Amino acid sequence: MRTATTVEGSAGSWRDIADFIVEAEKLGLDMCWVAEAWGSDAPSPLGYLAAHTNRILLGSGIIQLGTRSPVLIAQTAMTLAQLSEGRFLLGLGASGPQVIEGLHGVSFAHPLARMRETVAIVRQVFAGEKVSFTGKEFAIPLPDGEGRPMRVGLAPVSVPIYLATLSPKMLELTGEIADGWLGTSFVPEGADAAYFSHLDKGLERSGRSRTQLDICQGAEVNIVADEEDLPRVIGGRKAELAFSLAGMGTSTTNFYNDAYSRQGWSDIAAEVQQRWQSGDRAGAAGAIPDEMVLATTLIGTREMVRSRLATWQAAGVDTVRLYPAGNTLAARLDNLAEGLDLVHNLVP
């Protein structure tokens, strides 16, 4: 498996984050994704990191649909590909109505069509073609305006496109049109029904196999000295998981809650959401059992994490995104180094 991590602006100053990625590159990390969410944008720090690194691949994890036009997304990707000397990966995601409508004031309607059409337009721009597109969501140029088809004044590029998707139809689309899948909320034991069956359906439509799609999954990595340390570490992770299950969406639209439900945790997911929405945040976290945390993270002793990584590999993960725990740069790098060592020493 290849290795990756994800960083975001809320994790500290960008100078500190750059120091972390520079050291991670020295440790052998293969790629770094920069998150956007509702904090800093992704492209700006990617340019900053491109100037501080030499080998590591750099990706937008993710640029959100609806926040930019498809052509601007393509221009941004082409610029970052030039700045990084060919090391850029374009990660796209629909996000959710809470962010797209609540923060950006843009309709979240028809995310499936918007994603399909955005990727088609972006690839037109990448190829150096004059942009001419008529779809359900986009028309370029506007049919009743004064514009004529134009091409972007940058040299054509070859930039892999990864889609961050969770719902069945979006997963099918990922298998059909993407170069990679940025997944999350991953429980390998339930992944075939929850994720891979839908990805494979899309892959079949495009005449491809799973080997032609980079399966990139992420989880917190936290190596503890012995199992006596687990309750403390697991307890802290429960609050974060409760936020994903109940706070990362609305009462009717929460892709994370749906994903965990499809992987065998529907009763727990429903209880956490009910408690959270009633204002009982502590009760929501307390409703999450230890085994749910361990199932979806890389937390434990070296032997426990080695076993989980082997399970991820057997499930079909090509690239593992490691989110190293720790309150200091040294602690995060220690966890990352141990995680990388375990990945690099897995038996293929």
Side-chain angles (χ1 to χ4, degrees), residues 185 237-251 253-263 265-274 276-277 284-285 287-289 292-293 296:
S185 309
R237 185 70 185 93
K238 287 182 179 181
E240 297 174 16
L241 184 50
F243 177 68
S244 294
L245 290 168
M248 287 285 284
T250 66
S251 59
T253 306
N254 186 312
F255 301 118
Y256 301 93
N257 191 290
D258 293 344
Y260 279 110
S261 295
R262 297 199 310 271
Q263 294 175 99
W265 299 96
S266 57
D267 290 345
I268 298 297
E271 181 180 356
V272 169
Q273 189 172 59
Q274 185 275 322
W276 183 282
Q277 290 173 354
I288 296 173
M292 187 176 186
V293 174
T296 189

mmCIF file of all heavy atoms in Angstrom, residues 185 237-251 253-263 265-274 276-277 284-285 287-289 292-293 296:
data_model
loop_
_atom_site.group_PDB
_atom_site.id
_atom_site.type_symbol
_atom_site.label_atom_id
_atom_site.label_comp_id
_atom_site.label_asym_id
_atom_site.label_seq_id
_atom_site.Cartn_x
_atom_site.Cartn_y
_atom_site.Cartn_z
ATOM 1 N N SER A 185 -14.859 6.888 6.800
ATOM 2 C CA SER A 185 -15.858 6.116 7.544
ATOM 3 C C SER A 185 -15.802 4.655 7.131
ATOM 4 O O SER A 185 -16.818 4.008 6.878
ATOM 5 C CB SER A 185 -17.262 6.686 7.296
ATOM 6 O OG SER A 185 -17.293 8.069 7.525
ATOM 7 N N ARG A 237 -11.554 9.605 21.028
ATOM 8 C CA ARG A 237 -11.993 9.424 19.638
ATOM 9 C C ARG A 237 -13.517 9.335 19.535
ATOM 10 O O ARG A 237 -14.091 9.668 18.492
ATOM 11 C CB ARG A 237 -11.349 8.158 19.073
ATOM 12 C CG ARG A 237 -11.632 7.912 17.607
ATOM 13 C CD ARG A 237 -10.916 8.924 16.727
ATOM 14 N NE ARG A 237 -11.255 8.782 15.322
ATOM 15 C CZ ARG A 237 -12.230 9.445 14.701
ATOM 16 N NH1 ARG A 237 -12.956 10.317 15.387
ATOM 17 N NH2 ARG A 237 -12.487 9.261 13.429
ATOM 18 N N LYS A 238 -14.195 8.914 20.605
ATOM 19 C CA LYS A 238 -15.645 8.761 20.545
ATOM 20 C C LYS A 238 -16.345 10.090 20.292
ATOM 21 O O LYS A 238 -17.342 10.142 19.558
ATOM 22 C CB LYS A 238 -16.156 8.133 21.841
ATOM 23 C CG LYS A 238 -15.835 6.649 21.976
ATOM 24 C CD LYS A 238 -16.416 6.074 23.259
ATOM 25 C CE LYS A 238 -16.102 4.589 23.377
ATOM 26 N NZ LYS A 238 -16.680 3.988 24.607
ATOM 27 N N ALA A 239 -15.855 11.164 20.884
ATOM 28 C CA ALA A 239 -16.476 12.469 20.667
ATOM 29 C C ALA A 239 -16.367 12.888 19.202
ATOM 30 O O ALA A 239 -17.307 13.456 18.632
ATOM 31 C CB ALA A 239 -15.829 13.512 21.570
ATOM 32 N N GLU A 240 -15.232 12.600 18.570
ATOM 33 C CA GLU A 240 -15.041 12.948 17.162
ATOM 34 C C GLU A 240 -15.952 12.104 16.275
ATOM 35 O O GLU A 240 -16.521 12.603 15.297
ATOM 36 C CB GLU A 240 -13.576 12.757 16.780
ATOM 37 C CG GLU A 240 -12.625 13.673 17.541
ATOM 38 C CD GLU A 240 -11.169 13.365 17.237
ATOM 39 O OE1 GLU A 240 -10.911 12.673 16.235
ATOM 40 O OE2 GLU A 240 -10.300 13.817 17.994
ATOM 41 N N LEU A 241 -16.091 10.822 16.611
ATOM 42 C CA LEU A 241 -16.961 9.955 15.820
ATOM 43 C C LEU A 241 -18.416 10.365 15.976
ATOM 44 O O LEU A 241 -19.198 10.340 15.012
ATOM 45 C CB LEU A 241 -16.756 8.499 16.253
ATOM 46 C CG LEU A 241 -17.511 7.422 15.469
ATOM 47 C CD1 LEU A 241 -17.322 7.583 13.973
ATOM 48 C CD2 LEU A 241 -17.062 6.033 15.920
ATOM 49 N N ALA A 242 -18.815 10.771 17.181
ATOM 50 C CA ALA A 242 -20.186 11.248 17.392
ATOM 51 C C ALA A 242 -20.470 12.476 16.540
ATOM 52 O O ALA A 242 -21.571 12.620 15.976
ATOM 53 C CB ALA A 242 -20.410 11.560 18.870
ATOM 54 N N PHE A 243 -19.485 13.358 16.416
ATOM 55 C CA PHE A 243 -19.656 14.545 15.577
ATOM 56 C C PHE A 243 -19.880 14.138 14.122
ATOM 57 O O PHE A 243 -20.735 14.705 13.427
ATOM 58 C CB PHE A 243 -18.440 15.457 15.695
ATOM 59 C CG PHE A 243 -18.506 16.669 14.808
ATOM 60 C CD1 PHE A 243 -19.434 17.676 15.033
ATOM 61 C CD2 PHE A 243 -17.637 16.802 13.729
ATOM 62 C CE1 PHE A 243 -19.502 18.789 14.209
ATOM 63 C CE2 PHE A 243 -17.693 17.913 12.905
ATOM 64 C CZ PHE A 243 -18.629 18.905 13.148
ATOM 65 N N SER A 244 -19.121 13.149 13.630
ATOM 66 C CA SER A 244 -19.310 12.682 12.258
ATOM 67 C C SER A 244 -20.701 12.092 12.064
ATOM 68 O O SER A 244 -21.374 12.356 11.063
ATOM 69 C CB SER A 244 -18.253 11.624 11.903
ATOM 70 O OG SER A 244 -16.960 12.185 11.882
ATOM 71 N N LEU A 245 -21.143 11.291 13.026
ATOM 72 C CA LEU A 245 -22.422 10.602 12.906
ATOM 73 C C LEU A 245 -23.624 11.536 13.024
ATOM 74 O O LEU A 245 -24.688 11.244 12.471
ATOM 75 C CB LEU A 245 -22.532 9.510 13.979
ATOM 76 C CG LEU A 245 -21.621 8.294 13.811
ATOM 77 C CD1 LEU A 245 -21.615 7.458 15.079
ATOM 78 C CD2 LEU A 245 -22.062 7.460 12.615
ATOM 79 N N ALA A 246 -23.455 12.641 13.742
ATOM 80 C CA ALA A 246 -24.615 13.497 14.010
ATOM 81 C C ALA A 246 -24.417 14.960 13.669
ATOM 82 O O ALA A 246 -25.389 15.661 13.344
ATOM 83 C CB ALA A 246 -25.000 13.378 15.486
ATOM 84 N N GLY A 247 -23.183 15.455 13.742
ATOM 85 C CA GLY A 247 -22.938 16.867 13.515
ATOM 86 C C GLY A 247 -22.531 17.220 12.107
ATOM 87 O O GLY A 247 -22.640 18.378 11.693
ATOM 88 N N MET A 248 -22.056 16.229 11.328
ATOM 89 C CA MET A 248 -21.581 16.476 9.962
ATOM 90 C C MET A 248 -22.726 16.317 8.968
ATOM 91 O O MET A 248 -22.679 15.488 8.053
ATOM 92 C CB MET A 248 -20.440 15.524 9.626
ATOM 93 C CG MET A 248 -19.141 15.860 10.319
ATOM 94 S SD MET A 248 -18.314 17.299 9.598
ATOM 95 C CE MET A 248 -17.654 16.577 8.114
ATOM 96 N N GLY A 249 -23.775 17.100 9.160
ATOM 97 C CA GLY A 249 -24.919 17.024 8.278
ATOM 98 C C GLY A 249 -26.162 17.509 8.995
ATOM 99 O O GLY A 249 -26.094 18.106 10.070
ATOM 100 N N THR A 250 -27.295 17.232 8.396
ATOM 101 C CA THR A 250 -28.572 17.620 8.969
ATOM 102 C C THR A 250 -29.307 16.372 9.440
ATOM 103 O O THR A 250 -28.833 15.252 9.281
ATOM 104 C CB THR A 250 -29.423 18.361 7.933
ATOM 105 O OG1 THR A 250 -29.766 17.447 6.870
ATOM 106 C CG2 THR A 250 -28.663 19.544 7.341
ATOM 107 N N SER A 251 -30.490 16.557 9.993
ATOM 108 C CA SER A 251 -31.269 15.415 10.465
ATOM 109 C C SER A 251 -31.703 14.506 9.324
ATOM 110 O O SER A 251 -31.968 13.324 9.518
ATOM 111 C CB SER A 251 -32.502 15.902 11.238
ATOM 112 O OG SER A 251 -33.304 16.724 10.402
ATOM 113 N N THR A 253 -29.963 14.618 6.068
ATOM 114 C CA THR A 253 -28.853 14.367 5.150
ATOM 115 C C THR A 253 -27.546 14.304 5.922
ATOM 116 O O THR A 253 -26.980 15.337 6.311
ATOM 117 C CB THR A 253 -28.750 15.479 4.073
ATOM 118 O OG1 THR A 253 -30.016 15.617 3.409
ATOM 119 C CG2 THR A 253 -27.679 15.119 3.048
ATOM 120 N N ASN A 254 -27.091 13.098 6.203
ATOM 121 C CA ASN A 254 -25.793 12.888 6.842
ATOM 122 C C ASN A 254 -25.168 11.657 6.200
ATOM 123 O O ASN A 254 -25.517 10.521 6.521
ATOM 124 C CB ASN A 254 -25.930 12.694 8.349
ATOM 125 C CG ASN A 254 -24.571 12.617 9.051
ATOM 126 O OD1 ASN A 254 -23.687 11.891 8.618
ATOM 127 N ND2 ASN A 254 -24.412 13.366 10.131
ATOM 128 N N PHE A 255 -24.248 11.889 5.249
ATOM 129 C CA PHE A 255 -23.660 10.793 4.492
ATOM 130 C C PHE A 255 -22.801 9.885 5.375
ATOM 131 O O PHE A 255 -22.659 8.694 5.097
ATOM 132 C CB PHE A 255 -22.832 11.353 3.333
ATOM 133 C CG PHE A 255 -23.643 12.203 2.378
ATOM 134 C CD1 PHE A 255 -23.352 13.548 2.190
ATOM 135 C CD2 PHE A 255 -24.709 11.663 1.689
ATOM 136 C CE1 PHE A 255 -24.101 14.327 1.325
ATOM 137 C CE2 PHE A 255 -25.472 12.431 0.812
ATOM 138 C CZ PHE A 255 -25.167 13.767 0.631
ATOM 139 N N TYR A 256 -22.225 10.448 6.429
ATOM 140 C CA TYR A 256 -21.396 9.651 7.335
ATOM 141 C C TYR A 256 -22.261 8.681 8.130
ATOM 142 O O TYR A 256 -21.936 7.498 8.277
ATOM 143 C CB TYR A 256 -20.609 10.569 8.271
ATOM 144 C CG TYR A 256 -19.716 11.526 7.533
ATOM 145 C CD1 TYR A 256 -20.154 12.806 7.185
ATOM 146 C CD2 TYR A 256 -18.428 11.151 7.156
ATOM 147 C CE1 TYR A 256 -19.336 13.683 6.490
ATOM 148 C CE2 TYR A 256 -17.605 12.023 6.454
ATOM 149 C CZ TYR A 256 -18.071 13.279 6.121
ATOM 150 O OH TYR A 256 -17.268 14.137 5.417
ATOM 151 N N ASN A 257 -23.367 9.183 8.653
ATOM 152 C CA ASN A 257 -24.291 8.330 9.388
ATOM 153 C C ASN A 257 -24.798 7.203 8.490
ATOM 154 O O ASN A 257 -24.845 6.031 8.904
ATOM 155 C CB ASN A 257 -25.460 9.167 9.915
ATOM 156 C CG ASN A 257 -26.319 8.420 10.915
ATOM 157 O OD1 ASN A 257 -27.030 7.490 10.558
ATOM 158 N ND2 ASN A 257 -26.260 8.828 12.171
ATOM 159 N N ASP A 258 -25.144 7.542 7.263
ATOM 160 C CA ASP A 258 -25.628 6.532 6.319
ATOM 161 C C ASP A 258 -24.561 5.476 6.038
ATOM 162 O O ASP A 258 -24.859 4.277 5.955
ATOM 163 C CB ASP A 258 -26.041 7.187 5.002
ATOM 164 C CG ASP A 258 -27.271 8.082 5.143
ATOM 165 O OD1 ASP A 258 -27.971 7.964 6.169
ATOM 166 O OD2 ASP A 258 -27.506 8.902 4.235
ATOM 167 N N ALA A 259 -23.310 5.923 5.897
ATOM 168 C CA ALA A 259 -22.225 4.990 5.572
ATOM 169 C C ALA A 259 -21.983 4.003 6.706
ATOM 170 O O ALA A 259 -21.819 2.796 6.475
ATOM 171 C CB ALA A 259 -20.948 5.763 5.257
ATOM 172 N N TYR A 260 -21.951 4.501 7.936
ATOM 173 C CA TYR A 260 -21.774 3.587 9.066
ATOM 174 C C TYR A 260 -22.969 2.651 9.200
ATOM 175 O O TYR A 260 -22.814 1.469 9.553
ATOM 176 C CB TYR A 260 -21.565 4.376 10.359
ATOM 177 C CG TYR A 260 -20.156 4.868 10.543
ATOM 178 C CD1 TYR A 260 -19.855 6.225 10.439
ATOM 179 C CD2 TYR A 260 -19.121 3.976 10.807
ATOM 180 C CE1 TYR A 260 -18.563 6.679 10.600
ATOM 181 C CE2 TYR A 260 -17.821 4.426 10.966
ATOM 182 C CZ TYR A 260 -17.545 5.779 10.864
ATOM 183 O OH TYR A 260 -16.256 6.228 11.015
ATOM 184 N N SER A 261 -24.161 3.153 8.910
ATOM 185 C CA SER A 261 -25.353 2.315 8.991
ATOM 186 C C SER A 261 -25.272 1.165 7.999
ATOM 187 O O SER A 261 -25.666 0.027 8.313
ATOM 188 C CB SER A 261 -26.607 3.159 8.730
ATOM 189 O OG SER A 261 -26.785 4.135 9.745
ATOM 190 N N ARG A 262 -24.760 1.426 6.801
ATOM 191 C CA ARG A 262 -24.644 0.371 5.791
ATOM 192 C C ARG A 262 -23.572 -0.651 6.147
ATOM 193 O O ARG A 262 -23.512 -1.729 5.552
ATOM 194 C CB ARG A 262 -24.320 0.973 4.415
ATOM 195 C CG ARG A 262 -25.396 1.887 3.852
ATOM 196 C CD ARG A 262 -25.253 2.067 2.341
ATOM 197 N NE ARG A 262 -23.915 2.426 1.923
ATOM 198 C CZ ARG A 262 -23.461 3.673 1.821
ATOM 199 N NH1 ARG A 262 -24.232 4.696 2.177
ATOM 200 N NH2 ARG A 262 -22.234 3.911 1.397
ATOM 201 N N GLN A 263 -22.708 -0.318 7.108
ATOM 202 C CA GLN A 263 -21.629 -1.229 7.496
ATOM 203 C C GLN A 263 -21.927 -1.969 8.798
ATOM 204 O O GLN A 263 -21.029 -2.529 9.426
ATOM 205 C CB GLN A 263 -20.315 -0.450 7.622
ATOM 206 C CG GLN A 263 -19.835 0.102 6.282
ATOM 207 C CD GLN A 263 -18.605 0.972 6.418
ATOM 208 O OE1 GLN A 263 -17.475 0.527 6.194
ATOM 209 N NE2 GLN A 263 -18.813 2.212 6.802
ATOM 210 N N TRP A 265 -23.735 -0.712 11.628
ATOM 211 C CA TRP A 265 -23.837 0.069 12.860
ATOM 212 C C TRP A 265 -25.072 0.948 12.858
ATOM 213 O O TRP A 265 -25.078 2.033 13.434
ATOM 214 C CB TRP A 265 -22.580 0.935 13.030
ATOM 215 C CG TRP A 265 -21.320 0.143 13.134
ATOM 216 C CD1 TRP A 265 -20.449 -0.154 12.126
ATOM 217 C CD2 TRP A 265 -20.792 -0.482 14.305
ATOM 218 N NE1 TRP A 265 -19.407 -0.910 12.602
ATOM 219 C CE2 TRP A 265 -19.587 -1.129 13.937
ATOM 220 C CE3 TRP A 265 -21.212 -0.549 15.631
ATOM 221 C CZ2 TRP A 265 -18.807 -1.824 14.838
ATOM 222 C CZ3 TRP A 265 -20.431 -1.255 16.540
ATOM 223 C CH2 TRP A 265 -19.249 -1.888 16.145
ATOM 224 N N SER A 266 -26.154 0.514 12.223
ATOM 225 C CA SER A 266 -27.324 1.372 12.058
ATOM 226 C C SER A 266 -27.968 1.749 13.391
ATOM 227 O O SER A 266 -28.379 2.902 13.582
ATOM 228 C CB SER A 266 -28.355 0.699 11.141
ATOM 229 O OG SER A 266 -28.727 -0.571 11.650
ATOM 230 N N ASP A 267 -28.083 0.799 14.320
ATOM 231 C CA ASP A 267 -28.722 1.102 15.602
ATOM 232 C C ASP A 267 -27.917 2.127 16.394
ATOM 233 O O ASP A 267 -28.472 3.074 16.957
ATOM 234 C CB ASP A 267 -28.895 -0.179 16.430
ATOM 235 C CG ASP A 267 -29.940 -1.117 15.845
ATOM 236 O OD1 ASP A 267 -30.722 -0.666 14.993
ATOM 237 O OD2 ASP A 267 -29.946 -2.301 16.225
ATOM 238 N N ILE A 268 -26.592 1.931 16.427
ATOM 239 C CA ILE A 268 -25.727 2.870 17.143
ATOM 240 C C ILE A 268 -25.771 4.237 16.472
ATOM 241 O O ILE A 268 -25.877 5.276 17.138
ATOM 242 C CB ILE A 268 -24.280 2.349 17.192
ATOM 243 C CG1 ILE A 268 -24.210 1.019 17.954
ATOM 244 C CG2 ILE A 268 -23.359 3.380 17.817
ATOM 245 C CD1 ILE A 268 -24.622 1.101 19.396
ATOM 246 N N ALA A 269 -25.694 4.263 15.147
ATOM 247 C CA ALA A 269 -25.713 5.534 14.410
ATOM 248 C C ALA A 269 -26.992 6.305 14.682
ATOM 249 O O ALA A 269 -26.980 7.536 14.864
ATOM 250 C CB ALA A 269 -25.536 5.282 12.921
ATOM 251 N N ALA A 270 -28.109 5.605 14.729
ATOM 252 C CA ALA A 270 -29.387 6.263 14.987
ATOM 253 C C ALA A 270 -29.457 6.807 16.410
ATOM 254 O O ALA A 270 -29.942 7.924 16.643
ATOM 255 C CB ALA A 270 -30.531 5.280 14.743
ATOM 256 N N GLU A 271 -28.959 6.023 17.369
ATOM 257 C CA GLU A 271 -28.992 6.480 18.760
ATOM 258 C C GLU A 271 -28.093 7.694 18.963
ATOM 259 O O GLU A 271 -28.478 8.658 19.650
ATOM 260 C CB GLU A 271 -28.561 5.355 19.702
ATOM 261 C CG GLU A 271 -28.593 5.772 21.173
ATOM 262 C CD GLU A 271 -28.165 4.671 22.124
ATOM 263 O OE1 GLU A 271 -27.914 3.540 21.662
ATOM 264 O OE2 GLU A 271 -28.067 4.953 23.337
ATOM 265 N N VAL A 272 -26.908 7.662 18.364
ATOM 266 C CA VAL A 272 -25.987 8.794 18.497
ATOM 267 C C VAL A 272 -26.620 10.046 17.912
ATOM 268 O O VAL A 272 -26.573 11.130 18.517
ATOM 269 C CB VAL A 272 -24.647 8.479 17.801
ATOM 270 C CG1 VAL A 272 -23.786 9.736 17.700
ATOM 271 C CG2 VAL A 272 -23.900 7.385 18.550
ATOM 272 N N GLN A 273 -27.241 9.914 16.755
ATOM 273 C CA GLN A 273 -27.870 11.074 16.126
ATOM 274 C C GLN A 273 -29.018 11.614 16.975
ATOM 275 O O GLN A 273 -29.169 12.841 17.144
ATOM 276 C CB GLN A 273 -28.382 10.700 14.731
ATOM 277 C CG GLN A 273 -28.853 11.894 13.916
ATOM 278 C CD GLN A 273 -29.162 11.516 12.488
ATOM 279 O OE1 GLN A 273 -30.010 10.658 12.246
ATOM 280 N NE2 GLN A 273 -28.488 12.132 11.526
ATOM 281 N N GLN A 274 -29.813 10.717 17.547
ATOM 282 C CA GLN A 274 -30.947 11.148 18.369
ATOM 283 C C GLN A 274 -30.460 11.896 19.608
ATOM 284 O O GLN A 274 -30.994 12.954 19.962
ATOM 285 C CB GLN A 274 -31.784 9.931 18.757
ATOM 286 C CG GLN A 274 -33.071 10.262 19.524
ATOM 287 C CD GLN A 274 -32.845 10.423 21.015
ATOM 288 O OE1 GLN A 274 -32.047 9.697 21.613
ATOM 289 N NE2 GLN A 274 -33.534 11.392 21.622
ATOM 290 N N TRP A 276 -27.529 13.383 20.071
ATOM 291 C CA TRP A 276 -26.857 14.623 19.668
ATOM 292 C C TRP A 276 -27.879 15.723 19.383
ATOM 293 O O TRP A 276 -27.736 16.860 19.850
ATOM 294 C CB TRP A 276 -25.998 14.353 18.436
ATOM 295 C CG TRP A 276 -25.197 15.521 17.946
ATOM 296 C CD1 TRP A 276 -25.648 16.590 17.220
ATOM 297 C CD2 TRP A 276 -23.798 15.758 18.156
ATOM 298 N NE1 TRP A 276 -24.628 17.459 16.935
ATOM 299 C CE2 TRP A 276 -23.472 16.977 17.506
ATOM 300 C CE3 TRP A 276 -22.786 15.054 18.808
ATOM 301 C CZ2 TRP A 276 -22.188 17.496 17.499
ATOM 302 C CZ3 TRP A 276 -21.494 15.579 18.790
ATOM 303 C CH2 TRP A 276 -21.201 16.783 18.154
ATOM 304 N N GLN A 277 -28.904 15.377 18.625
ATOM 305 C CA GLN A 277 -29.883 16.381 18.229
ATOM 306 C C GLN A 277 -30.766 16.838 19.388
ATOM 307 O O GLN A 277 -31.361 17.915 19.320
ATOM 308 C CB GLN A 277 -30.739 15.836 17.086
ATOM 309 C CG GLN A 277 -29.940 15.708 15.784
ATOM 310 C CD GLN A 277 -30.699 15.012 14.676
ATOM 311 O OE1 GLN A 277 -31.811 14.515 14.884
ATOM 312 N NE2 GLN A 277 -30.112 14.972 13.506
ATOM 313 N N ALA A 284 -24.257 11.154 23.428
ATOM 314 C CA ALA A 284 -24.024 10.683 22.061
ATOM 315 C C ALA A 284 -22.673 9.983 21.961
ATOM 316 O O ALA A 284 -22.558 8.897 21.385
ATOM 317 C CB ALA A 284 -24.093 11.862 21.090
ATOM 318 N N ALA A 285 -21.637 10.605 22.540
ATOM 319 C CA ALA A 285 -20.313 9.979 22.529
ATOM 320 C C ALA A 285 -20.311 8.696 23.351
ATOM 321 O O ALA A 285 -19.695 7.688 22.963
ATOM 322 C CB ALA A 285 -19.271 10.953 23.065
ATOM 323 N N ALA A 287 -22.643 6.616 23.746
ATOM 324 C CA ALA A 287 -23.385 5.532 23.101
ATOM 325 C C ALA A 287 -22.532 4.738 22.125
ATOM 326 O O ALA A 287 -22.951 3.677 21.651
ATOM 327 C CB ALA A 287 -24.603 6.097 22.379
ATOM 328 N N ILE A 288 -21.349 5.251 21.818
ATOM 329 C CA ILE A 288 -20.473 4.575 20.863
ATOM 330 C C ILE A 288 -19.635 3.526 21.586
ATOM 331 O O ILE A 288 -18.874 3.853 22.501
ATOM 332 C CB ILE A 288 -19.556 5.595 20.160
ATOM 333 C CG1 ILE A 288 -20.397 6.567 19.339
ATOM 334 C CG2 ILE A 288 -18.535 4.892 19.275
ATOM 335 C CD1 ILE A 288 -19.607 7.721 18.743
ATOM 336 N N PRO A 289 -19.730 2.262 21.215
ATOM 337 C CA PRO A 289 -18.947 1.217 21.876
ATOM 338 C C PRO A 289 -17.486 1.248 21.443
ATOM 339 O O PRO A 289 -17.152 1.729 20.357
ATOM 340 C CB PRO A 289 -19.623 -0.080 21.409
ATOM 341 C CG PRO A 289 -20.237 0.272 20.091
ATOM 342 C CD PRO A 289 -20.632 1.719 20.175
ATOM 343 N N MET A 292 -16.570 -0.134 18.009
ATOM 344 C CA MET A 292 -16.849 0.672 16.820
ATOM 345 C C MET A 292 -15.670 1.584 16.505
ATOM 346 O O MET A 292 -15.305 1.772 15.340
ATOM 347 C CB MET A 292 -18.116 1.501 17.041
ATOM 348 C CG MET A 292 -18.590 2.242 15.794
ATOM 349 S SD MET A 292 -20.144 3.116 16.097
ATOM 350 C CE MET A 292 -20.522 3.727 14.450
ATOM 351 N N VAL A 293 -15.069 2.153 17.541
ATOM 352 C CA VAL A 293 -13.883 2.995 17.345
ATOM 353 C C VAL A 293 -12.743 2.169 16.768
ATOM 354 O O VAL A 293 -12.086 2.566 15.800
ATOM 355 C CB VAL A 293 -13.459 3.647 18.671
ATOM 356 C CG1 VAL A 293 -12.134 4.393 18.496
ATOM 357 C CG2 VAL A 293 -14.534 4.603 19.170
ATOM 358 N N THR A 296 -12.982 1.221 12.960
ATOM 359 C CA THR A 296 -12.865 2.236 11.913
ATOM 360 C C THR A 296 -11.615 3.105 12.043
ATOM 361 O O THR A 296 -11.474 4.104 11.348
ATOM 362 C CB THR A 296 -14.120 3.132 11.908
ATOM 363 O OG1 THR A 296 -14.097 3.979 10.771
ATOM 364 C CG2 THR A 296 -14.191 3.982 13.165
#
